[in-house]
Structures are given as C-alpha cells and as structure tokens.
Amino acid sequence: MSDSLAVGLLLAFAGGMLDAYSFITRGEVFATAETGNLVRLGVHLSLGEFAQAGRYIFPILAFTLGVLAAEVIRRRMDGRRARLHWRQAILLGECAVLVGVALLPAGPLDALANILISFTSAIQLESFRKFRGCAGSTTMCTGNLRSGTEQLYRFLALPDPQAWGKSSVYYRLILAFLAGAVVCGRLTLWWGTRTALCACLPLLAVFVLLFRPVQS
C-alpha cells in the first residue's frame, strides 16, 4: 500500500504544507528541501554573515541525520512481525513532532522548529520513495519535475504508451505539493504557528491507508 498514488499525494500535500509553514512562520527557511537553504547558506557565508548562516546550516544537518535515522529504522524493523508497520510508526512519530513544533512560540525557537521539521521530513522522504513503481519525492519537487517531463517526452516522441501514466504520477505529486503550500499559506493567516497541526491530518490519513493489505 505504501507504493500507492493515494499515499504519495497525501504525503506530498503534507510536504508542501510544511515547507510553506517553515518559510512563512519560522524565519523563511525551507525545512523540507535543502537546496534553497544551501543557496542561502552560501550567500550569507560569502557576505561574512555567519550568525544568519546558522539559520540554514542546522536544518541541513538535521535533514542529513534524518536520512541516516530512516535507514537505521528500516534495517532494524523491516521484516519484523508487529501490529504496526515501521512506516506507520514513523508517521506517528512525525505527527508527535509536529504537535511539539506547533506549541513552540515564534521567534527565538524558530531554529528548533525548523530542525525538527527537517529531521522528520528526511525520514519521510527516505521511507516513502516509490509510487506506482515511480521513484518520487514527497518533500520537494525538482526531481519530480525532471522525471515527469522526461516521461512526457518519451510519451510524445518515441512514443512509449506507459510513459504517460508515469508522467502523470510525477505531475500529480507536484500539484499535491503545491496545493499543500497554498492551503498552508491561507491557514497561517488565522492560526500562525499552530498551522503545523494541520499537516498531521494527511499523515494520519496515510497511517490509516497502510492498514489496507493491497494497493489501490
């Protein structure tokens, strides 16, 4: 079930929400995708603004640790008999972290909020990597845009009849990510830092879907 498109779209929606959330409410940091943070880190370092550079280096390090943690969890728990699949345990953990993030006041603790989001987003990214057989991302869009456009070319030029289905998977992931960012942008007008709680809803929906034994 973790390979289904429904799971991918829900996770991408949550990813878009969290990236918009960290940017809007937590000091303009992209907590779920690190390319923007790397660019900003480099710019601040070039200007000698080392204090501001620290805002971006710690989410990058947290993201790296999250990938490592996901691999450790997967290798230790994959194949074990348990009431919950290890991916479900990861989703519950991510929701618990987001509850904590929502309770952190804006300002001095923004850096901690971004670190927590980066860490859990990396675990999500590493734990859910294929949807309908297509390797995709739910926390960023650059790779999905490249892969989707490549498959679109294969459909139009070769033509490859299966490429259209693969291309649509990637573009739908992008649209779900964008939708999450749009929704988050509106919700922050009313709820501010508490908007992080809303990202738990699609994550919990995925948690429920993973109880289903077959793909849809």
Side-chain angles (χ1 to χ4, degrees):
M1 190 61 198
S2 62
D3 187 65
S4 69
L5 182 58
V7 166
L9 294 178
L10 287 167
L11 291 176
F13 186 87
M17 288 194 70
L18 291 175
D19 220 15
Y21 170 83
S22 64
F23 186 83
I24 296 171
T25 69
R26 298 296 186 177
E28 298 186 348
V29 173
F30 294 106
T32 70
E34 304 309 314
T35 302
N37 292 336
L38 285 166
V39 172
R40 288 169 178 258
L41 172 63
V43 170
H44 286 301
L45 289 177
S46 70
L47 298 175
E49 300 170 347
F50 301 113
Q52 291 182 311
R55 294 167 54 193
Y56 302 99
I57 191 170
F58 290 114
I60 295 170
L61 294 175
F63 192 91
T64 303
L65 292 175
V67 173
L68 294 174
E71 284 301 302
V72 171
I73 294 171
R74 181 178 65 84
R75 291 182 181 275
R76 289 188 176 182
M77 298 183 65
D78 199 12
R80 291 187 179 183
R81 293 178 177 269
R83 297 184 66 178
L84 292 180
H85 191 273
W86 63 271
R87 288 187 174 92
Q88 290 175 300
I90 282 174
L91 291 169
L92 290 180
E94 186 172 0
C95 288
V97 169
L98 292 179
V99 171
V101 168
L103 296 176
L104 292 175
L109 295 179
D110 285 348
L112 176 59
N114 291 325
I115 288 171
L116 292 173
I117 294 174
S118 293
F119 182 78
T120 56
S121 294
I123 294 179
Q124 174 186 313
L125 176 66
E126 192 70 5
S127 302
F128 298 88
R129 299 193 293 185
K130 285 188 176 182
F131 309 100
R132 286 192 181 173
C134 299
S137 169
T138 59
T139 65
M140 60 190 77
C141 290
T142 304
N144 293 338
L145 183 60
R146 183 202 65 81
S147 298
T149 306
E150 177 185 3
Q151 293 298 327
L152 180 61
Y153 169 81
R154 293 177 63 86
F155 172 74
L156 295 174
L158 294 181
D160 181 355
Q162 294 183 345
W164 173 253
K166 295 179 180 179
S167 179
S168 68
V169 169
Y170 291 112
Y171 283 119
R172 278 186 273 184
L173 288 173
I174 293 171
L175 289 175
F177 188 94
L178 176 61
V182 171
V183 170
C184 180
R186 296 299 299 175
L187 292 179
T188 53
L189 297 176
W190 299 289
W191 294 348
T193 57
R194 291 175 295 174
T195 306
L197 294 172
C198 299
C200 293
L201 297 178
L203 297 177
L204 291 175
V206 173
F207 175 83
V208 174
L209 283 176
L210 292 182
F211 281 112
R212 299 183 62 179
V214 294
Q215 297 181 356
S216 61

